[in-house]
Amino acid sequence: MKVLKFGGTSVGSAQRIKDVAHLISNRGKNIVVLSAMAGTTNSLLEISDYLHKRNIPAAKEVINNLELKYDQVIDELYSSDETKLLASNDIHECFNYIRSFCQDNFTLFEEKEVVSRGEIMSTTLMFYYLREHQIDVIALPALDFMRTDKNSEPDMPYIKQKLEDLLSRNTKASLYLTQGYICRNSYGEIDNLRRGGSDLTASVIGAALGADEIEIWTDIDGMHNNDPRYVEGTKPVSELHFEEAAELAYFGAKILHPTCVLPAKLNNIPVRLLNTMDPKAAGTVIYNTLPSHTIKAVAAKDDITAIKIKSSRMLLAYGFLRKVFEIFEEHKTAIDMIATSEVGVSVTVDSTKELDHIIDDLKKFGTVSVDHDMVIICVVGDLEWHNTGFESRAMEALRDIPVRMISYGGSNYNISFLISKDDKIRALNALSDTLFK
Ligand code: ADP
Ligand code: ASP
Ligand code: MG
């Protein structure tokens, strides 16, 4: 059994839904995970934003426009009037549910309920399309099995048990269909796995059921060796180690949600990245491959803030770093990069929510300075310390770019550079020119 996940663009129109239906039919008893149609989650968040601001007419206008779009998809997708009626009843029920929140008291809990309709609608459309084509598909409602625990992590024992129950009650199916992204929290309330979280849904299901493989189908032919949104002529990487994929996803390669590598890695389940628009393309396989003595890819993570703390004493006293880290821990803020010297330490964070409090507290121990609008450029590959030449090639590529921090040796797979946002595109292109041409 495999888990096949299709992202928003892959199910973004009636034609795309038909193409995906074709791809998933007659491939065995797999579990298919769908994202919301491209643009839907953004529209549902826009509706929620208007409702938070109590601008009900604006919320209703966005709801009506979105509903119109779904009506058109239904019209194009199905051939029989009977299926059109079934699908449109379910979709209109979703829109009426969303409309029921168009009143003054709109909370974050209700936002989660509104946003959850995106994945419910895409799977509804696919369900009826498959049924119209005589595929014995069974719907597995994600809200019945996908749950997070008190730490907002997937509750694996619960998910495994619930999924196994659902599957054992539906053995005659030829295919299972479920929603990505949406879940319940430990209180049973509707919640989600954060933007892009359908990848995590697929990985968690794969891990819970010990799947043979997890396929992530998207709009590009695998993990490219640089960010295709900023660099021309990037190429797909055929194989990645789980750790390499995790570094790339965490440091900005949007094709993969950062959290989705871990469940697959822990259960040693290969993850294959494939292209819905070009299904024959080889894509990328992520597994426990041996290092290949090459640099594989480059990624960039935006909106980074660098904080430098110079110790008030002449030399770094022991205990200084502990005090610094405790402050970040107290303010529940994760550190990405660290560089130390005898007189101070620089760290980076990607959340500025607690920044003012963190700076106030750090000032008790030293002189503090902050750089905003920074970017981490992450070079990933076989960077085990005995291998020579790789770091120097990355450095050589960045010879004309001011580098604020460098981090190397934290893992065997990564060297990271902190630069200014304004130099990001230049740096990504320079790295491609030096490393991949
Ligand atoms: P989906 O909606 O299918 O989840 P995403 O938009 O989340 O798709 O991810 C696919 C996109 O990731 C691609 O269209 C591409 O622009 C972007 N991307 C960023 N970095 C990379 C990379 N290194 N390799 C491939 N795609 C990347
Ligand atoms: N629909 C959600 C989003 O747009 C989840 C996903 O696509 O993975 O973020
Ligand atoms: Mg995605």
Side-chain angles (χ1 to χ4, degrees):
M1 190 268 293
K2 291 187 181 184
V3 182
L4 322 177
K5 177 259 168 176
F6 293 83
T9 325
S10 301
V11 292
S13 66
Q15 188 53 50
R16 294 260 159 87
I17 294 175
K18 291 180 189 179
D19 294 345
V20 169
H22 182 70
L23 280 173
I24 59 181
S25 305
N26 308 316
R27 275 201 61 193
K29 219 168 171 169
N30 296 317
I31 300 189
V32 175
V33 177
L34 299 187
S35 291
M37 294 179 77
T40 295
T41 306
N42 286 346
S43 297
L44 295 172
L45 286 168
E46 193 187 354
I47 292 162
S48 303
D49 194 38
Y50 281 128
L51 292 176
H52 283 304
K53 297 189 166 95
R54 302 189 178 199
N55 186 347
I56 290 171
K60 284 188 173 161
E61 198 180 320
V62 184
I63 296 172
N64 293 344
N65 288 339
L66 191 63
E67 191 173 32
L68 213 61
K69 189 181 134 188
Y70 276 79
D71 285 341
Q72 285 161 358
V73 171
I74 289 173
D75 217 38
E76 199 185 324
L77 189 56
Y78 307 108
S79 22
S80 80
D81 286 344
E82 195 194 336
T83 321
K84 280 186 193 180
L85 189 65
L86 286 169
S88 88
N89 281 344
D90 282 12
I91 296 295
H92 287 150
E93 200 179 297
C94 283
F95 278 102
N96 289 337
Y97 178 76
I98 297 168
R99 280 194 186 91
S100 73
F101 295 105
C102 287
Q103 46 188 326
D104 275 351
N105 254 344
F106 190 70
T107 63
L108 275 178
F109 298 112
E110 289 166 333
E111 174 177 319
K112 303 263 172 75
E113 302 200 15
V114 166
V115 171
S116 73
R117 297 300 115 169
E119 272 67 15
I120 291 178
M121 291 199 288
S122 63
T123 45
T124 300
L125 293 175
M126 180 64 82
F127 178 85
Y128 284 118
Y129 185 79
L130 292 168
R131 280 289 170 104
E132 191 175 59
H133 289 79
Q134 283 76 50
I135 309 284
D136 258 333
V137 57
I138 289 288
L140 305 175
L143 298 180
D144 289 356
F145 68 86
M146 189 56 69
R147 193 171 84 166
T148 52
D149 60 20
K150 291 214 162 57
N151 298 316
S152 301
E153 301 284 346
D155 185 341
M156 290 307 286
Y158 177 93
I159 295 165
K160 183 176 162 60
Q161 195 217 318
K162 285 281 172 185
L163 258 178
E164 284 173 354
D165 281 358
L166 280 169
L167 295 183
S168 66
R169 277 191 267 128
N170 292 291
T171 47
K172 291 216 174 75
S174 56
L175 195 63
Y176 299 98
L177 182 63
T178 190
Q179 298 84 22
Y181 178 60
I182 64 175
C183 64
R184 289 187 187 274
N185 60 22
S186 57
Y187 302 103
E189 297 151 343
I190 294 184
D191 205 340
N192 61 61
L193 301 170
R194 294 191 284 277
R195 294 308 304 268
S198 299
D199 297 343
L200 177 58
T201 302
S203 180
V204 163
I205 294 176
L209 298 177
D212 301 323
E213 195 165 271
I214 297 157
E215 295 182 357
I216 307 281
W217 289 81
T218 180
D219 56 4
I220 190 164
D221 53 348
M223 177 74 79
H224 277 220
N225 57 11
N226 207 327
D227 195 322
R229 294 168 297 181
Y230 306 108
V231 179
E232 270 182 40
T234 57
K235 295 208 171 61
V237 181
S238 59
E239 289 178 316
L240 283 172
H241 189 280
F242 282 121
E243 307 280 354
E244 294 173 322
E247 302 266 16
L248 286 168
Y250 185 71
F251 286 109
K254 187 182 174 247
I255 185 169
L256 212 53
H257 193 266
T259 54
C260 98
V261 179
L262 190 65
K265 183 184 120 179
L266 292 178
N267 293 277
N268 204 12
I269 301 173
V271 178
R272 203 174 284 275
L273 308 180
L274 294 157
N275 188 356
T276 320
M277 295 18 155
D278 183 7
K280 293 219 162 69
T284 302
V285 59
I286 301 164
Y287 59 151
N288 254 332
T289 168
L290 288 172
S292 66
H293 296 284
T294 53
I295 289 185
K296 300 274 184 62
V298 176
K301 188 174 183 193
D302 300 324
D303 298 325
I304 301 293
T305 302
I307 307 166
K308 184 188 283 171
I309 309 110
K310 258 185 7 193
S311 172
S312 307
R313 303 210 204 154
M314 269 304 283
L315 299 175
L316 264 188
Y318 63 83
F320 173 73
L321 285 178
R322 178 177 57 77
K323 286 180 197 150
V324 167
F325 291 144
E326 270 172 4
I327 290 170
F328 286 88
E329 193 184 336
E330 270 162 34
H331 295 287
K332 295 190 166 49
T333 300
I335 293 171
D336 279 332
M337 272 175 84
I338 307 168
T340 59
S341 84
E342 191 55 30
V343 288
V345 55
S346 272
V347 300
T348 71
V349 294
D350 67 359
S351 161
T352 48
K353 228 170 78 194
E354 292 292 319
L355 190 63
D356 291 344
H357 297 128
I358 291 173
I359 292 169
D360 275 351
D361 286 350
L362 288 172
K363 280 182 174 166
K364 293 172 193 155
F365 301 109
T367 324
V368 181
S369 60
V370 178
D371 291 304
H372 295 282
D373 292 329
M374 308 298 285
V375 170
I376 295 176
I377 302 281
C378 169
V379 178
V380 165
D382 184 14
L383 290 155
E384 204 271 333
W385 70 279
H386 291 100
N387 298 332
T388 52
F390 294 134
E391 310 86 82
S392 62
R393 285 174 61 212
M395 303 254 203
E396 171 61 15
L398 298 180
R399 63 186 172 276
D400 296 326
I401 291 168
V403 174
R404 162 77 175 76
M405 268 168 84
I406 298 176
S407 175
Y408 172 69
S411 82
N412 286 343
Y413 302 97
N414 154 328
I415 177 165
S416 300
F417 300 90
L418 186 72
I419 61 168
S420 156
K421 177 177 104 183
D422 299 335
D423 293 323
K424 165 178 157 176
I425 296 179
R426 201 155 62 97
L428 289 176
N429 280 280
L431 283 161
S432 262
D433 289 346
T434 307
L435 301 175
F436 307 128
K437 283 198 176 137

